Each structure stands twice: as C-alpha cells, then as structure tokens.
Amino acid sequence: MTQKVAILLSGGGSNMVALLDSMTGDNLARPALVLSNRADAGGLAKAAARGVPTEVVDHRPYGEDRGAFEDALHARIMEYAPDIICLAGFMRVLTEGFVARWQGRMINIHPSLLPKYRGLHTHARALDAGDAEAGCTVHEVTAALDDGPLLGQARVPILAEDTPETLAARVLVAEHQLYPAVLRRFAAGDRTQIHLP
Ligand code: GRF
C-alpha cells in the first residue's frame, strides 16, 4: 500500500531532493508534503519546482514554548495525512510529546556513524579524533537526540588532507544514497538495516 511521506527540513534540502527523486515506480513511498520551519529554506523552492506541496511553520513566534510550536507543526502536517515523516536537516529538537505522536513512523538522517558524534559539528569532531572513516546514519526518531533504532549506515573514508568541508561533501554523497534506500525499505514495512557500501 502506498505510504505518504512528509519531509521536514530547515536548509538546502539536498537529501529531500534525493528522497523525492526516489519515490517513483515500485517504491511504495510517495511525497505528500515538504515543510520547513524557515520560510527562506532553499529546499522549499526545489520541492515546489517538483510539484510537491510546501508549508512553513515558523518556530519563532512560539519563543520558548516548544509544545505550542509542535502542536502547530503537527496540525499542519496532519492536513496532508502522511504515513511517514522524514527529517532531512530539520534543525529543531523535537520533544517527547511530538516524537510520541510519530513513534515508529518518523526517521532521520544524521551525518555521523552513530552512536558516535550525536549533535552538531560531526565532521570536525571525527577529524579531531583521528578517525579513519566517517559516514551517516538513518534511524528511527525517539525522544533522545540522534538516537533510536538504526535503519542504515553508509561509510566513507577519511583522507589525510580532509577538512570538515571536504569530508561533509563526501558524506553528503553517501547520504543521498542511503536515505532513499532506507525509506524505500521502511515504506515496505521492512526495518532490516542497510549497510553501504
Ligand atoms: C545533512 O548533512 C543531514 O545529515 C543533516 O543536515 C544536513 C542537511 O543537508 N541532518 P541538506 O539540507 O539535505 O542538503
């Protein structure tokens, strides 16, 4: 059965584009909505250009009241009745209340080999640690930041001359392969982990 997918982002949306491009043919996932907390997110125009409905729910009017923001977010998402939420560079920490509403139906991509380097600046931290490899992880979202059951990981080498920027670019290419592969499987009800390459 077709699974309607809402993608949440805050930035340029390259992962979102990779997901949209993958949702064709025998993939059970189909795009329903791309939503941002920022009206100036580059990803919104890319989604609109692909004929996908877009929405903005700005977090700023809600100030410290995360619950009120998330109620508005949830209500807007529900107008599209998605089955699955994909977080793709959505830069708001979600509270337990919101996560509970989407438990088992919300997935995220994080640019590190979790459980290493939860949070920000993952590439600089991998370089500082002298790691030989880096990568990305897709996981189910639980209330703990960048945690939850792993659905897939992709690994890339770290090169001697890498900077955080060159490493981020290499990991991003892997993200664009991993996230669509995991979503396709997840939409089919299969939570077997994917490991790339
Ligand atoms: C990606 O690195 C993703 O792993 C992280 O945020 C970034 C989003 O990039 N969560 P983009 O907007 O998909 O290009």
Side-chain angles (χ1 to χ4, degrees), residues 3-20:
Q3 300 286 301
K4 291 163 66 177
V5 178
I7 303 173
L8 273 52
L9 54 73
S10 302
S14 69
N15 276 287
M16 177 273 299
V17 168
L19 291 173
L20 291 187

Side-chain angles (χ1 to χ4, degrees), residues 32 36 40 72 81 87 92 95 101 117 134 151 177:
S36 178
D40 62 354
L87 304 179
R92 304 301 301 168
T95 70
R101 289 167 170 173
Y117 314 129
L151 296 168
Q177 294 164 351

Side-chain angles (χ1 to χ4, degrees), residues 11-16 88-89 109-111 172 175:
S14 69
N15 276 287
M16 177 273 299
I109 188 154
H110 182 74
L172 198 59
E175 293 181 37

